[in-house]
Amino acid sequence: MVTGVHERMLYVALEVHDEHPLFEAPGSNFLEPSTFGDRVWLGFEDREGVQQQVFLAATAPGAVSARRIESGEYGRRTARIEPRIRGVWRPTADGYRVEARVPLSMIGKGFGVLIDDRDARAAAPR
């Protein structure tokens, strides 16, 4: 589904204060922990009552698409782009700013944000 011109959106703006902002490794596999940088997770319940989670991660400043982790055949996991959720990732003097838009039609009850802060690749989140 492509978002329509007149679809109502939830706009999210996050100002993250981080002494060691870390981008994902360029050309990274978004499921390989050794390539992980800082991530922003969005969680919500969809209109059918199913819990949904997507994350925003950037390899450089600029536009980002949300990704959803899905399990496929034989338990193989993939990080598929969720094209309805778009955003931008910008560095700031003391961290970074993430802005995203989420179609309200995707959201049922609840909405939450988790900042996955990492100071080095392959390090555990803080």
Side-chain angles (χ1 to χ4, degrees):
M1 172 181 143
V2 176
T3 57
V5 174
H6 299 291
E7 184 163 9
R8 294 176 39 185
M9 299 282 176
L10 169 66
Y11 291 92
V12 180
L14 303 166
E15 191 83 23
V16 180
H17 301 281
D18 186 348
E19 293 178 13
H20 305 284
L22 183 65
F23 287 112
E24 299 274 317
S28 69
N29 169 350
F30 287 96
L31 297 175
E32 175 53 49
S34 66
T35 68
F36 288 3
D38 294 336
R39 292 179 171 192
V40 172
W41 288 84
L42 306 177
F44 51 92
E45 191 174 283
D46 66 19
R47 302 255 177 192
E48 287 76 42
V50 177
Q51 292 288 323
Q52 301 292 330
Q53 294 179 356
V54 298
F55 67 90
L56 297 158
T59 57
V64 292
S65 294
R67 293 182 180 272
R68 176 187 311 277
I69 298 175
E70 296 180 351
S71 293
E73 202 169 292
Y74 306 112
R76 183 172 179 232
R77 295 174 8 131
T78 58
R80 299 213 185 272
I81 290 177
E82 171 49 78
R84 296 172 290 177
I85 301 174
R86 300 279 185 182
V88 64
W89 194 294
R90 294 185 180 109
T92 63
D94 64 345
Y96 56 92
R97 180 176 178 88
V98 175
E99 298 174 17
R101 67 174 198 203
V102 182
L104 285 174
S105 62
M106 293 180 72
I107 302 172
K109 292 176 18 182
F111 185 87
V113 174
L114 172 79
I115 305 299
D116 186 348
D117 179 27
R118 296 171 190 265
D119 288 339
R121 292 208 175 79
R126 294 187 322 129

